[in-house]
Amino acid sequence: MTPAGEQLLAHHVALLAIPAIVPAIVVVGVVLYIARKDRLDERAERELIERAFEPEPDTKENE
């Protein structure tokens, strides 16, 4: 609490930090997007390889 007659002025450090924080948040968002996309692509590629090496069912054995 401030004594009567004094004003509490806002500190300008927050205003100076905003230009540094916003680009950092954007960079983190881009990195997370690329990492997620890469993991999904890797999973799809792994599933494709697994399907390629699966033995095909032999129709003669089922008859």
Side-chain angles (χ1 to χ4, degrees):
M1 188 171 266
T2 60
E6 276 190 38
Q7 284 186 337
L8 180 62
L9 300 175
H11 206 285
H12 67 281
V13 173
L15 292 175
L16 294 175
I18 290 173
I21 291 173
V22 171
I25 291 172
V26 170
V27 169
V28 168
V30 168
V31 168
L32 290 176
Y33 171 77
I34 292 172
R36 182 174 180 267
K37 186 175 182 320
D38 185 52
R39 290 187 69 136
L40 291 175
D41 290 346
E42 184 179 336
R43 181 183 303 156
E45 182 180 356
R46 190 174 342 133
E47 289 174 358
L48 179 66
I49 291 171
E50 286 175 359
R51 277 188 274 135
F53 287 109
E54 282 181 359
E56 292 186 17
D58 192 14
T59 55
K60 292 181 181 178
E61 290 179 7
N62 294 336
E63 292 179 1

